[in-house]
Amino acid sequence: MVNLANRDLVTIDDLSNGEIEGLFSLADEMANSMNAQSALCQGKIMASLFFEPSTRTRLSFEAAMHRLGGRVISAVDIGATSLAKGESIADMAKVVGSYADMIVIRHPWEGAARVVADYAGIPVINAGDGSHEHPTQTLCDLYTIRKERQIIKGLRIALWGDLKHGRTVHSLIYALARFGATILFCPGPGLEMPEHVLSRLSTEYRGELKRCRDLNHNVESGYFPIDAIYMTPVSPHQLAMLPDISLGVELKAGVDALYVTRLQKERQAPTVEEKEPIKGYPVVDKKLLKGKEFKKTLVMHPLPRVDELTHEVDADPRSMYFKQAAYGMPVRMALIALLLGAKEVKITKGQDSFVQKVDYPVYKRDSGVKCLNAKCISNQETEVKYIKPEFKIISREPLTLRCVYCDHDLHPKYIASSDWHEGKLESKKYHRADSRWARKIKPENLIIFASEKQAQARQFKPSTYAKNE
Ligand code: CP
């Protein structure tokens, strides 16, 4: 038995595959005795902080806590909290952490849940942070797939719609990669999976990405658009390889689940919102589902839907989206009970994560490098006073940093070593990050600059390796 008490769920990677399977077994138990769990969390209080609209996540979390015998305090409008007066997320987290036993938070800033978890001192669950992640939706999605198909490994799952801004697909893709599914991307125009998500897939999960270039051809021939195919490892440390991807063959092989998402209008640039709706957003309807490749396909959607999934398919036995939403109750009951220590998970031997995540060195120096994502919590006026940018060093060639808050990548151009200057001003030199000399600097001695100006502002001078070699 494994005790998950006092853990956070900020990213889907906070739970191992074995823990997720254990949680699902507990969710099965909860589903079978929904009204007999009211002693589990008696006396406990959950703070439900939803600073973006929600129906499913907020109400299922709150109902789950009530069903477990606990109580709920809530805030659903930033304007009605002291955040509106300029209070920081960290201060809010510390205060709420002294009132409640657990926090569930939805916030538009990417990385907000991570900061709440860092400061609250009680378990924190991310109920969606901007376009970043929505791990409990992923638990509902995986639970649905597992209920219908028993196993996730080897399934072929197509992600459809707004892959750029949809946080549900971002968390889901990491989980599917870990469980060994093959993922097909079917984005709306201009809504492709962001590079930082693809980069995380290929670096942290060691997966291989194959891009299909014949997008227009597919649309004309009646196939839904496919942007890329991500092949997951077939066994630990071994990549699946498909040297010549033929889209026709891929489709004929069938799709086990079609995961549809709506256009995230609220996350489009303001100029886009004012224009006509994006043309060519792919729609799933009866006609599309007549295709042979969808004969046994589970049609999934995290909801809410708008126009991308027609109501005519609701009665189709392949449609899973209302089941997905309903499963939110036992899944979230199980999660709350586990993080409050009211239950433990059984983990079967050999059920550990399919892919071992890579542990990268972390860069924490205050050398002026900042995350480039304007929606990252580390760039917000109320938060910069205490948040120090922090990055995983993903690669030295090319130098790639990944923000620990929002997972966006950046490629700073200049570096120096803390070991060289030894206090002597004349030897404080900076170099191009891709120069031969720079590659010799040990990770623990790295000083990283986004620009020469940044290096010079810290009294570093250009070395002969600061120019192009
Ligand atoms: N799927 C989901 O997160 O729905 P809500 O926005 O209604 O919570």
Side-chain angles (χ1 to χ4, degrees), residues 217-425:
H217 168 75
N218 299 321
V219 172
E220 281 159 20
S221 62
Y223 285 131
F224 59 85
I226 286 201
D227 173 60
I229 293 177
Y230 168 70
M231 303 309 300
T232 60
V234 289
S235 64
H237 313 301
Q238 185 193 346
L239 295 178
M241 303 296 280
L242 273 197
D244 294 307
I245 285 189
S246 153
L247 197 51
V249 172
E250 283 297 318
L251 282 175
K252 277 198 189 103
V255 179
D256 293 292
L258 185 57
Y259 192 91
V260 189
T261 61
R262 77 181 164 92
L263 175 67
Q264 306 272 304
K265 263 191 189 163
E266 67 276 29
R267 306 202 195 285
Q268 309 293 318
T271 47
V272 174
E273 213 174 342
E274 286 155 18
K275 285 191 216 158
E276 291 279 294
I278 289 183
K279 285 203 173 77
Y281 195 85
V283 173
V284 173
D285 55 13
K286 232 176 179 170
K287 190 173 161 225
L288 180 106
L289 294 178
K290 277 192 177 134
K292 267 189 196 155
E293 61 275 30
F294 300 121
K295 204 172 167 199
K296 293 184 181 166
T297 301
L298 306 175
V299 180
M300 302 179 69
H301 195 309
L303 302 179
R305 71 170 146 188
V306 189
D307 299 318
E308 67 288 345
L309 178 60
T310 59
H311 287 255
E312 63 187 6
V313 301
D314 289 359
D316 190 306
R318 293 169 290 182
S319 294
M320 290 292 129
Y321 27 97
F322 291 112
K323 270 192 185 173
Q324 267 168 277
Y327 287 147
M329 180 60 56
V331 166
R332 289 183 172 116
M333 282 173 78
L335 179 64
I336 293 170
L338 289 171
L339 300 191
L340 288 178
K343 283 278 186 183
E344 295 186 330
V345 276
K346 279 188 212 130
I347 297 185
T348 313
K349 222 177 166 194
Q351 254 188 355
D352 211 348
S353 288
F354 190 68
V355 176
Q356 293 301 319
K357 280 203 70 197
V358 184
D359 271 331
Y360 294 104
V362 174
Y363 183 74
K364 291 186 183 182
R365 275 180 211 274
D366 184 11
S367 59
V369 181
K370 288 187 168 57
C371 177
L372 300 177
N373 174 12
K375 290 177 183 153
C376 177
I377 191 159
S378 68
N379 285 322
Q380 308 308 319
E381 199 184 329
T382 46
E383 317 304 313
V384 290
K385 296 169 206 164
Y386 66 95
I387 291 180
K388 291 203 169 44
E390 245 179 69
F391 305 92
K392 292 180 203 165
I393 304 172
I394 301 299
S395 151
R396 292 287 293 269
E397 292 179 51
L399 180 61
T400 308
L401 302 184
R402 182 164 301 152
C403 175
V404 299
Y405 298 103
C406 71
D407 286 308
H408 279 238
D409 286 354
L410 65 157
H411 302 280
K413 294 282 178 278
Y414 298 95
I415 64 174
S417 169
S418 60
D419 200 29
W420 289 352
H421 51 77
E422 293 168 343
K424 290 184 218 155
L425 262 179

Side-chain angles (χ1 to χ4, degrees), residues 36-231:
Q37 306 297 339
S38 59
L40 268 185
C41 294
Q42 238 172 28
K44 299 287 183 188
I45 295 178
M46 181 180 88
S48 167
L49 311 177
F50 276 75
F51 301 132
E52 278 192 334
S54 170
T55 298
R56 277 145 291 274
T57 316
R58 182 166 78 88
L59 297 182
S60 61
F61 260 119
E62 294 186 2
M65 190 54 168
H66 286 299
R67 284 181 184 278
L68 292 167
R71 282 169 289 169
V72 179
I73 54 173
S74 62
V76 291
D77 174 10
I78 285 184
T81 71
S82 288
L83 292 176
K85 302 176 201 163
E87 183 169 50
S88 69
I89 295 272
D91 283 1
M92 179 203 67
K94 275 189 218 167
V95 172
V96 178
S98 67
Y99 301 157
D101 300 291
M102 160 180 279
I103 293 176
V104 180
I105 180 158
R106 173 172 289 189
H107 196 285
W109 292 340
E110 299 182 25
R114 156 97 37 232
V115 173
V116 174
D118 287 346
Y119 286 88
I122 56 174
V124 171
I125 298 173
N126 181 4
D129 57 338
S131 295
H132 182 221
E133 283 213 41
H134 191 348
T136 67
Q137 179 62 49
T138 293
L139 293 177
C140 299
D141 302 337
L142 296 179
Y143 186 71
T144 307
I145 298 171
R146 206 198 61 150
K147 280 267 184 218
E148 299 296 322
R149 294 283 182 269
Q150 287 71 52
I151 190 157
I152 296 162
K153 188 178 172 185
L155 294 185
R156 300 157 54 76
I157 298 183
L159 306 180
W160 178 283
D162 188 349
L163 308 190
K164 184 174 178 182
H165 304 102
R167 56 191 171 207
T168 61
V169 284
H170 298 161
S171 289
L172 180 60
I173 197 170
Y174 304 133
L176 291 175
R178 277 171 37 193
F179 276 94
T182 293
I183 305 159
L184 315 173
F185 299 140
C186 317
L191 299 167
E192 290 77 18
M193 193 61 85
E195 282 303 323
H196 71 272
V197 177
L198 299 182
S199 162
R200 190 170 152 191
L201 273 179
S202 56
T203 52
E204 300 192 23
Y205 306 89
R206 301 194 185 100
E208 189 189 4
L209 191 73
K210 294 278 183 186
R211 285 169 197 269
C212 296
R213 298 286 173 205
D214 51 348
L215 186 71
N216 292 332
H217 168 75
N218 299 321
V219 172
E220 281 159 20
S221 62
Y223 285 131
F224 59 85
I226 286 201
D227 173 60
I229 293 177
Y230 168 70
M231 303 309 300

